[in-house]
Amino acid sequence: AQKITQTQPGMFVQEKEAVTLDCTYDTSDPSYGLFWYKQPSSGEMIFLIYQGSYDQQNATEGRYSLNFQKARKSANLVISASQLGDSAMYFCAMREGIYNFNKFYFGSGTKLNVKP
Amino acid sequence: DADVTQTPRNRITKTGKRIMLECSQTKGHDRMYWYRQDPGLGLRLIYYSFDVKDINKGEISDGYSVSRQAQAKFSLSLESAIPNQTALYFCATSDLRGRDEQFFGPGTRLTVL
């Protein structure tokens, strides 16, 4: 089974509108972390936002927020007021466990295009 | 200056050649990783290292080897490159004392002809 599933290969959004990128995850470990990364066309991976499995509130970082629904095992990224510079690939990732790295998984990504 | 650097940034090589990709970091992190990225597949872990004496295979280690020369340096080698190793390769670091998030280098685009 896929550990991280991103079901939207590509999305379009109008500039200044909000957009939600979907991410579901699969783990039986009670301790995990969820991450979103942005990859512009230049190729670098840029960390956007983090949500810990024990965090009570949804994470927010500027225009980015994470809609964390633990029971549904979903961690959707919400980008408010989209900008042209938001056009990029977006990857959801999960780290399972706390002390033993051995499980860090990435989804296949969603390509977001922001239209002027 | 970048915290995680990779050399070379681009490389074209021929089948059967040995090639080394190098990664250096100034973040002081103990953990270092090598990933490859293929279109539609996201990132897949090749090798990771928790410290200089600790090397571990990841999801797709066949055909690759690594060397952790120092805390700050982690090299990936392709002993005999083949065309299906054409990909974008990323080095990353993380710090368990924090969230263990991955900090990525700029990537190396490798083409094997």
Side-chain angles (χ1 to χ4, degrees):
Chain A
Q2 291 273 19
K3 285 290 186 179
I4 295 287
T5 302
Q6 294 181 254
T7 57
Q8 306 153 313
M11 289 191 69
F12 286 90
V13 65
Q14 201 69 36
E15 190 178 10
K16 300 182 183 178
E17 292 184 350
V19 63
T20 297
L21 306 183
D22 294 341
C23 173
T24 57
Y25 59 92
D26 180 28
T27 182
S28 58
D29 197 314
S31 300
Y32 54 90
L34 298 159
F35 304 80
W36 277 93
Y37 287 86
K38 172 184 179 182
Q39 187 179 39
S41 58
S42 52
E44 72 267 33
M45 295 287 284
I46 302 167
F47 166 75
L48 295 178
I49 196 166
Y50 167 82
Q51 181 84 43
S53 59
Y54 297 117
D55 293 344
Q56 294 296 314
Q57 295 188 338
N58 288 343
T60 60
E61 292 280 353
R63 293 186 299 110
Y64 304 108
S65 60
L66 200 151
N67 184 0
F68 181 45
Q69 298 188 41
K70 197 169 183 176
R72 294 185 178 184
K73 293 187 176 179
S74 74
N76 298 338
L77 177 70
V78 180
I79 305 175
S80 63
S82 298
Q83 302 173 355
L84 295 178
D86 293 334
S87 293
M89 284 288 289
Y90 289 82
F91 292 97
C92 179
M94 175 178 67
R95 182 211 69 236
E96 272 187 329
I98 295 181
Y99 299 109
N100 296 321
F101 175 89
N102 47 2
K103 297 172 174 62
F104 204 104
Y105 304 96
F106 283 83
S108 56
T110 294
K111 186 169 185 178
L112 178 66
N113 285 290
V114 181
K115 298 189 293 184
Chain B
D1 288 341
D3 295 317
V4 184
T5 57
Q6 293 182 232
T7 55
R9 294 294 311 279
N10 289 283
R11 181 72 182 267
I12 299 173
T13 191
K14 294 182 179 179
T15 297
K17 294 290 187 182
R18 183 179 188 274
I19 185 167
M20 179 182 288
L21 309 183
E22 299 187 345
C23 176
S24 295
Q25 55 115 346
T26 59
K27 300 189 75 67
H29 291 167
D30 289 326
R31 299 181 164 195
M32 297 187 74
Y33 314 84
W34 277 103
Y35 292 91
R36 68 176 277 176
Q37 183 181 21
D38 299 279
L41 293 179
L43 276 76
R44 292 182 292 168
L45 183 63
I46 307 172
Y47 271 95
Y48 61 99
S49 169
F50 283 179
D51 62 40
V52 175
K53 297 179 182 179
D54 178 81
I55 302 289
N56 303 280
K57 292 182 178 180
E59 180 186 359
I60 52 164
S61 59
D62 288 348
Y64 302 95
S65 63
V66 292
S67 173
R68 185 83 183 264
Q69 301 94 325
Q71 188 209 33
K73 295 185 181 295
F74 193 35
S75 300
L76 176 72
S77 293
L78 287 67
E79 297 301 325
S80 179
I82 57 177
N84 75 1
Q85 291 178 312
T86 294
L88 182 58
Y89 289 85
F90 284 102
C91 174
T93 74
S94 72
D95 182 3
L96 178 59
R97 292 168 294 178
R99 300 177 295 205
D100 208 18
E101 73 191 71
Q102 310 272 297
F103 292 88
F104 286 87
T108 295
R109 191 167 296 279
L110 176 66
T111 302
V112 183
L113 302 176

